[in-house]
Amino acid sequence: MAAQTPELVPLASDTAPVDVATTHASTEAAHGEGGGLPQFEFQHWFGQIVYLIFLFAILYWLIARVFTPRMRRVFDERETTISTAVATARQVQAEAAGQAEAAKAEVEKARADSRAASVAAKARVTDEANRRAAEEEAVVNARIAEAEIAIGKTRDAAMANVATIAADTASAIVERLTGKAPSAAEATAAVKGAV
Amino acid sequence: MADPLHQFQIVPLVDFGTVTLPVIGEQQLAFTNSHLAMTVAFGVVVLFLQVVTAGAKVVPGRWQSAGETMFGMIDGIVDSIIGHDGRKLFPFVFTVFTFILAMNFIGLFLTFTATSQIAVTATFGVLTILLVLAIGFAKHGLGFFKLFVPSGVPWPVLPFVIVIEFVSFLLRPVTLTLRLFGNMMGGHVALKVFAGFVVVGVGGSVGLGLGIPIALLSMGMTVGLTALEFLVAFLQAFVFAVLTCIYLNDVVNLGHGH
């Protein structure tokens, strides 16, 4: 790019006289000092500067009074909206957390209740079983006692029979040995003494 | 080949005649192509901002989004460079930015670039520096001159530093003016030169065997440079706005910091 610049100047000065001579004669004459850059034709400066300051002042006024406040309002509004939304979200979250806590407590309570119920049921069932077992046992014991009594009776009867048989046997033996049967009372007394 | 400087010629469209003013001499009063370009740029900015802010909603549409990006960008640099006091100065910086940006862009679409006129860029530069001076004297009175006396400089070198600071302050409007002017003018001259080569190439004066490749290459350059010029158009408006902020910051926050 730097190589281009030097040849621009001769180009400009080369063409300038041609322009003056031919097409742009009138404008070049009006430009007076002419020659170099068109930007240095000072007779156009005043008009441009005044007009630019005029436009700048209007634009500044519009931006300062109209556009900037509008933008700031939107920014502020957005900030408010966002912070409100965030606050709401936080609140909702807190509520949800509270509800979750409550639900958890409820579940915990239900679990405890069911546990207690199961324990109670188990106790009740155990009691029932124990009671039934005791009843059965009582019945069985009663039967055992009955049976024992019956056995005792049977044994006594048997024993009585044994004594009678023994007395009979003894009297029979005595009769065979002596030829003379002892009296029943004697036999019985003798057996009783032996048994 | 066409004169690449012809595009910068001021052409009166409606002539109001000439007047001779006291100090500045003879002036031509006319509505020129420069005035037209400025007016179009002004109109585009106002229209754009009107469209952007008129039905501004919390959830922005396309146009509002574009405007908000621009607004937010300038708001960001004003806020980050000047600080909280910068809010009051935002409209000025935003006006400078949008107006220059519009002029730069209009220059890429139409035949005349207002910001390639040194009268226009000088007006922006001087306006900025006048605002700096006004704020400086209004806020600090004669304390404004402390701007040229940086703190923490050993006294033997202080006089030199003061001279350097003073001269650099005086050069601020000049550099503001010339940077914008030079960039815009240089870019448009380069564009015109390469575009001229295209015409020369296909014109046949150098023979079509050489002319067509020249024309093609130059066309490529012109397209590339046009893209570059769009970047420059934005960048120069942005740089102008940033420097405006920096110069304003010097006087707004004079004495604290640096």
Side-chain angles (χ1 to χ4, degrees):
Chain A
M1 219 94 342
Q4 293 297 342
T5 333
E7 59 176 280
L8 295 179
V9 182
L11 264 176
S13 49
D14 281 351
T15 48
V18 179
D19 282 347
V20 170
T22 55
T23 49
H24 295 277
S26 55
T27 39
E28 282 293 326
H31 294 158
E33 51 246 299
L37 291 174
Q39 285 94 331
F40 287 103
E41 289 161 5
F42 291 106
Q43 76 272 24
H44 291 300
W45 276 45
F46 181 72
Q48 290 186 73
I49 289 170
V50 169
Y51 190 65
L52 179 59
I53 291 173
F54 170 68
L55 288 184
F56 189 92
I58 297 176
L59 189 58
Y60 176 81
W61 187 86
L62 282 175
I63 285 177
R65 289 294 153 88
V66 182
F67 299 129
T68 305
R70 276 187 196 169
M71 268 303 189
R72 293 242 189 267
R73 201 176 311 130
V74 172
F75 284 168
D76 291 347
E77 208 173 300
R78 182 171 304 154
E79 205 160 298
T80 321
T81 311
I82 290 173
S83 57
T84 314
V86 167
T88 313
R90 281 228 175 91
Q91 195 192 328
V92 169
Q93 198 181 23
E95 254 167 47
Q99 278 173 1
E101 201 65 36
K104 202 174 160 195
E106 225 161 80
V107 166
E108 209 58 46
K109 189 172 162 287
R111 193 172 285 159
D113 281 356
S114 65
R115 201 175 287 142
S118 90
V119 167
K122 203 182 272 171
R124 207 184 61 228
V125 168
T126 316
D127 281 356
E128 183 81 0
N130 286 348
R131 194 176 55 74
R132 246 189 232 164
E135 258 170 35
E136 297 281 314
E137 208 175 298
V139 170
V140 169
N141 282 348
R143 271 213 201 138
I144 288 171
E146 244 168 59
E148 261 169 11
I149 289 168
I151 288 168
K153 265 185 197 163
T154 311
R155 195 190 55 201
D156 286 352
M159 283 309 266
N161 286 347
V162 167
T164 312
I165 289 165
D168 284 351
T169 310
S171 77
I173 291 167
V174 168
E175 192 181 357
R176 189 70 60 89
L177 289 174
T178 62
K180 183 184 143 229
S183 69
E186 274 172 343
T188 306
V191 167
K192 239 178 209 151
V195 176
Chain B
M1 195 170 128
D3 177 8
L5 297 179
H6 178 72
Q7 56 178 320
F8 304 117
Q9 200 75 53
I10 301 282
V11 181
L13 302 175
V14 185
D15 207 335
F16 301 122
T18 54
V19 287
T20 308
L21 294 166
V23 184
I24 32 188
E26 194 174 276
Q27 290 291 324
Q28 188 171 18
L29 296 184
F31 189 82
T32 65
N33 50 357
S34 175
H35 292 74
L36 183 63
M38 287 190 249
T39 314
V40 172
F42 172 81
V44 165
V45 172
V46 172
L47 191 71
F48 175 73
L49 290 177
Q50 173 62 27
V51 167
V52 158
T53 59
K57 293 181 203 69
V58 171
V59 178
R62 264 184 230 175
W63 282 100
Q64 194 189 335
S65 203
E68 279 181 11
T69 308
M70 202 188 235
F71 192 92
M73 181 179 71
I74 299 299
D75 202 29
I77 63 167
V78 170
D79 204 56
S80 62
I81 295 176
I82 308 181
H84 189 69
D85 294 336
R87 275 238 156 156
K88 293 192 288 291
L89 294 168
F90 170 81
F92 181 82
V93 180
F94 196 60
T95 309
V96 165
F97 175 74
T98 49
F99 210 1
I100 291 177
L101 185 69
M103 286 185 190
N104 291 353
F105 275 152
I106 297 299
L108 287 167
F109 290 106
L110 305 181
T111 56
F112 189 87
T113 314
T115 38
S116 67
Q117 293 296 316
I118 204 162
V120 171
T121 60
T123 307
F124 280 114
V126 170
L127 267 180
T128 302
I129 288 306
L130 284 181
L131 183 67
V132 168
L133 287 173
I135 291 173
F137 282 114
K139 249 188 120 147
H140 308 287
L142 290 179
F144 167 73
F145 289 105
K146 275 192 294 201
L147 183 63
F148 306 121
V149 190
S151 55
V153 177
W155 66 266
V157 291
L158 200 55
F160 303 104
V161 172
I162 288 174
V163 170
I164 290 169
E165 288 279 332
F166 185 68
V167 171
S168 82
F169 185 83
L170 290 185
L171 284 177
R172 279 176 183 182
V174 180
T175 53
L176 274 179
T177 300
L178 291 183
R179 183 180 302 108
L180 181 55
F181 161 72
N183 270 287
M184 296 322 292
M185 181 184 157
H188 282 269
V189 167
L191 272 180
K192 193 69 165 219
V193 167
F194 280 105
F197 285 162
V198 178
V199 178
V200 171
V202 296
S205 59
V206 291
L208 284 181
L210 185 62
I212 297 291
I214 287 179
L216 284 175
L217 276 176
S218 306
M219 192 63 204
M221 274 307 280
T222 312
V223 172
L225 279 175
T226 306
L228 183 70
E229 279 311 299
F230 272 97
L231 180 70
V232 171
F234 168 78
L235 211 59
Q236 285 307 315
F238 186 72
V239 164
F240 204 108
V242 169
L243 287 173
T244 302
C245 287
I246 290 172
Y247 297 158
L248 287 171
N249 174 56
D250 278 350
V251 289
V252 171
N253 297 318
L254 183 61
H256 27 104
H258 286 275

